[in-house]
């Protein structure tokens, strides 16, 4: 590449600002993780390392049920969201351009634009009336809500992959006697697979992490891991919550690393 | 009754867009492509070659007209139901499949039994000399190898017609020459009708049984390479195929009169007034000034082309004529710029063409 005439690193104070930003981003997380191994809970006092808090969290029945609930919701929501997102991505890329395409695009990505609290309140009111009408109190509401706000996160990587795909591959499949369905199954889908997996993982992480909408939509006794942690923190800061946070952090980092490798252009 | 035509296009029209912005990519094209022949569509960029191929393959539906395959109307048949295969310019090999899987794709889609798929795939791999690479991913192949896989993949289901859209344009000169020979061999061995698209006139002349010359959505002339080279039907074909001289002239009894006053005999002339005389550079001879019908000229430039030397000549009225002379073994044609010479056209070679 030709020499750049502008380089951000030449701006005055670039290094200082960059360091400050990274410090602010990572130091709190580092302290949190470090504290999860501390014998007594204090940010300034170190009197040894222990895995006790992890063991305690692991044995806590409330944590167990919240974890299970979180996983069930995240798994269901990411599957539903990924399915919808795949259909939406196919619908917006595998047909002739049509009027209002941008509007559709914006509407699919609604959860990225509408403030979460607004969606949360809207869902609370909406689901409340359904609860009254049907009497159903189960996890379905949370799964539906999570599926909805996870769709754009699944949609974006899938759409990116579809747009990057050579259209002549599908033409070639049709030329080689593949019906539209076989073309989709044997060519489009396998090539799309990394995008779909990436989308599902992103949706999973987003669902796992959600507090606001969950807090509004959940019925009594339906705590997920994040809302359980929030409830704990209202009473006291405990290294147990730090331990749970650290586990969540590791899980998220692993999933996002896999996501990064799946969405790299050169595979 | 067997139909001798592999493909027949009748009055095919293809328009893109609507209203005033509509483009006629194909404007009333009719052509018969015979069974087992190597047919080439030749023409400048944008003349509609790819469009015609896509209509035969079924990727596009015509705005008007009919397309027949061995006598059966296939105009509106979807591509997966046509026994026609395509070699794409970009190859369009499936990146998630191996070389062998790419080749067997069409056979599997046809629902052939596994044993037959395997046998045929192996045969195709051997045909294009890619046995050693059967297990490779297509991204690990060179351009020439990808080309071979694309060919094998399209030939494997034994289509009635193989369509090739500028399959050699991405290859370098040497590989291109090799693949030209390879293609001829494959066509000969399989006996399948090839419809080949190119904008390279040399490629068209050397490879084809017959050539269809296209311009601006219209088929200008269909004929053997010899026919279109020696008997072009119009000025477009004459100038697109090989090099040629155009000289302003006027019709006189028995021939045409050039600007310098020389009269050239041309048969079958109709009409009168101003016209244009066409003569190939190799049909222009340098002769002794005393010879009958010799036209005086001055050498303005000499360009050496290896086996040939192009001699640029100015007629007395300033009109320019190029003569192609065979270079002698020492490379010197024995002419100099500014030298006074005389030229003659080979009798019967000069033609008057429609615009
Ligand atoms: N999908 C399309 N929509 C609109 N116009 C098109 C489309 N496809 C082709 N055309 C137009 O039709 C004309 C013929 O195109 P075509 O691709 O058949 O040319 P070609 O002879 O194959 O040219 P090249 O040698 O550059 O490949 C061109 O003017 C092109 O712009
Ligand atoms: Mg083309």
């Amino acid at each position: 590449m030709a020499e750049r005439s502008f380089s951000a690193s030449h701006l005055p104070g670039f290094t200082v600002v960059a360091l400050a930003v990274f410090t602010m981003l990572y130091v709190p997380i580092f302290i949190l993780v470090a504290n999860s191994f501390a014998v007594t809970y204090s940010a300034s006092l170190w009197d040894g390392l222990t895995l006790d808090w992890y063991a305690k969290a692991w044995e806590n029945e409330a944590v167990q049920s919240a974890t299970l609930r979180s996983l069930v919701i995240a798994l269901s929501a990411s599957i539903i969201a990924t399915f919808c997102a795949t259909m939406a991505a196919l619908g917006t890329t595998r047909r002739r351009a049509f009027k209002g395409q941008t509007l559709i695009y914006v509407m699919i990505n609604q959860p990225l634009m509408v403030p979460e609290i607004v969606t949360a309140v809207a869902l609370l009111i909406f689901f409340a009336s359904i609860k009254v009408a049907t009497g159903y109190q189960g996890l379905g509401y949370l799964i539906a809500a999570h599926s909805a706000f996870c769709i754009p996160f699944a949609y974006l990587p899938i759409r990116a992959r579809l747009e990057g795909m050579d259209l002549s591959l599908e033409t070639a499949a049709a030329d080689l006697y593949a019906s539209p369905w076989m073309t989709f199954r044997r060519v489009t889908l396998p090539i799309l697979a990394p995008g779909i997996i990436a989308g599902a993982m992103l949706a999973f992480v987003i669902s796992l992490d959600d507090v606001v909408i969950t807090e509004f939509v959940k019925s009594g006794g339906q705590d997920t891991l994040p809302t359980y942690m929030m409830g704990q923190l209202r009473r006291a800061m405990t290294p147990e919550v730090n331990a749970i946070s650290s586990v969540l952090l590791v899980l998220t980092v692993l999933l996002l690393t896999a996501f990064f490798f799946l969405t790299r252009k050169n595979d | 009754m067997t139909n001798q035509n592999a493909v027949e296009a009748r009055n095919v029209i293809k328009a893109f867009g609507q209203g005033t912005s509509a483009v006629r990519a194909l404007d009333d094209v009719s052509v018969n492509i015979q069974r087992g022949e190597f047919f080439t569509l030749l023409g400048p960029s944008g003349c509609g070659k790819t469009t015609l191929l896509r209509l035969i393959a079924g990727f596009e539906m015509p705005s008007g007209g009919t397309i027949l395959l061995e006598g059966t109307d296939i105009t509106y048949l979807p591509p997966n139901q046509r026994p026609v295969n395509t070699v794409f310019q970009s190859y369009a090999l499936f990146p998630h499949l191996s070389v062998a899987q790419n080749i067997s794709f069409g056979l599997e889609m046809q629902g052939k039994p596994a044993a037959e798929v395997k046998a045929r795939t192996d045969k195709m791999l051997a045909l294009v000399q890619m046995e050693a690479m059967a297990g490779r991913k297509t991204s690990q192949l060179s351009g020439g190898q990808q080309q071979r896989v694309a060919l094998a993949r399209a030939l494997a289901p034994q289509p009635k017609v193989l369509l090739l859209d500028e399959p050699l344009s991405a290859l370098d000169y040497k590989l291109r020459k090799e693949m030209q020979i390879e293609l001829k061999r494959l066509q000969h061995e399989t006996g399948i009708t090839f419809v080949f698209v190119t904008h390279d006139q040399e490629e068209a002349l050397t490879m084809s049984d017959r050539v269809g010359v296209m311009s601006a959505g219209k088929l200008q002339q269909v004929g053997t390479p010899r026919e279109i080279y020696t008997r072009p039907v119009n000025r477009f074909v004459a100038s697109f195929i090989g090099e040629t001289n155009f000289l302003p002239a006027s019709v006189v009894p028995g021939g045409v009169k050039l600007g310098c006053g020389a009269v050239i005999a041309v048969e079958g002339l109709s009409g009168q007034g101003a016209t244009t005389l066409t003569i190939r550079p190799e049909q222009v001879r340098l002769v002794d000034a005393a010879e009958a019908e010799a036209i005086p000229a001055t050498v303005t430039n000499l360009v050496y082309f290896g086996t040939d030397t192009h001699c640029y000549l100015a007629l007395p009225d300033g009109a320019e004529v190029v003569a192609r002379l065979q270079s002698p073994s020492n490379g010197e044609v024995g002419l100099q710029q500014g030298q006074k010479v005389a030229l003659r056209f080979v009798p019967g070679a000069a033609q008057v063409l429609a615009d």
Side-chain angles (χ1 to χ4, degrees), chain B residues 43 63 113 157 159 162 230 245-246 299 306:
Chain B
S63 320
L162 186 74
T230 58
N245 292 299
F246 289 115
V299 178

Side-chain angles (χ1 to χ4, degrees), chain B residues 16 23 25 44-51 166 199:
Chain B
F16 289 108
V23 185
S45 185
C47 70
K49 307 180 294 289
T50 298
T51 305
E166 306 203 29
H199 56 244

Side-chain angles (χ1 to χ4, degrees), chain A residues 96 166 168-180 182-183 186-187 190-191 267, chain B residues 59 79-80 82-86 88 90 92-96 105-106 108-110 153 157:
Chain A
R96 262 164 227 264
D166 183 1
S168 66
L169 295 177
E170 285 161 5
T171 311
D175 187 58
L176 292 161
Y177 314 103
S179 62
M182 282 310 265
T183 300
R186 298 286 298 269
V187 176
I191 295 176
D267 47 325
Chain B
F59 307 143
N80 56 314
R82 301 184 183 204
V84 170
N85 290 142
T86 307
F88 294 84
S90 60
L93 297 176
F94 303 125
H96 59 298
F105 188 91
E108 281 172 27
M109 292 300 123
Q110 282 180 318
R153 183 180 72 173

Side-chain angles (χ1 to χ4, degrees), chain B residues 24-278:
Chain B
R24 273 209 173 182
L26 292 178
D27 194 359
D28 198 11
V29 170
S30 295
V31 63
N32 292 339
I33 298 168
Q34 278 149 31
R35 265 191 213 185
E37 81 175 333
F38 196 117
F39 188 91
T40 298
L41 285 168
L42 174 67
S45 185
C47 70
K49 307 180 294 289
T50 298
T51 305
L52 183 54
L53 224 54
R54 290 177 63 85
L55 288 177
I56 299 172
F59 307 143
E60 218 78 69
M61 300 294 150
S63 320
T66 316
I67 295 171
L68 299 119
L69 185 76
E70 297 194 346
T72 316
D73 187 344
I74 57 159
T75 316
Y76 299 105
L77 210 60
N80 56 314
Q81 291 172 25
R82 301 184 183 204
V84 170
N85 290 142
T86 307
V87 176
F88 294 84
Q89 185 169 359
S90 60
Y91 310 143
L93 297 176
F94 303 125
H96 59 298
L97 300 179
S98 70
V99 167
Q101 286 169 328
N102 262 280
I103 296 175
S104 57
F105 188 91
L107 298 164
E108 281 172 27
M109 292 300 123
Q110 282 180 318
K112 293 269 158 63
E116 191 186 330
V117 171
K118 172 93 180 61
R120 199 129 183 92
T121 302
D122 288 345
K123 201 173 154 203
M124 283 298 133
L125 281 167
L127 189 68
V128 296
Q129 293 145 25
M130 290 288 291
E131 298 107 313
M133 318 235 172
R136 282 220 202 161
K137 276 273 156 70
T138 56
S139 54
Q140 301 163 336
L141 300 178
S142 73
Q145 291 165 340
Q146 292 187 20
Q147 173 73 75
R148 282 164 203 274
V149 177
L151 269 168
R153 183 180 72 173
L155 284 170
Q158 290 170 296
K160 297 224 164 88
V161 177
L162 186 74
L163 307 172
L164 307 103
D165 192 358
E166 306 203 29
L168 308 182
S169 63
L171 306 178
D172 62 44
Y173 183 78
K174 197 157 172 290
L175 198 53
R176 207 183 156 101
K177 291 283 157 201
E178 272 174 43
M179 285 308 297
Q180 286 179 2
I181 295 165
E182 181 86 6
L183 273 179
K184 280 299 277 184
R185 178 180 71 85
L186 286 174
Q187 202 252 339
H188 191 75
E189 282 179 24
T190 58
I192 291 172
T193 310
F194 277 33
V195 182
F196 181 86
V197 161
T198 182
H199 56 244
D200 180 340
Q201 46 110 355
E202 189 190 322
E203 200 165 87
L205 292 181
T206 54
M207 298 181 72
S208 324
D209 296 321
R210 286 194 310 150
V211 180
V213 184
M214 289 184 72
S215 159
K218 286 198 160 73
L219 204 53
Q220 304 289 334
Q221 185 174 5
V222 178
T224 64
R226 205 173 301 274
E227 279 165 6
I228 57 166
Y229 186 80
T230 58
R231 293 285 155 209
V233 294
N234 59 30
R235 291 181 61 180
F236 172 81
V237 177
S239 60
F240 196 75
I241 312 289
E243 286 160 65
T244 196
N245 292 299
F246 289 115
L247 293 168
S250 55
V251 179
V252 295
V256 295
K257 189 172 170 190
L258 297 181
C260 62
V263 173
I264 312 292
V266 178
E267 280 174 30
L269 269 186
S270 58
Q272 47 175 289
T275 183
T276 306
L277 186 76
T278 309

Side-chain angles (χ1 to χ4, degrees), chain A residues 68-85:
Chain A
L68 189 66
R69 200 170 290 116
S70 271
L71 291 178
V72 167
I73 293 171
L75 208 61
S76 319
S78 55
I79 290 171
I80 296 171
T82 306
F83 180 78
C84 296

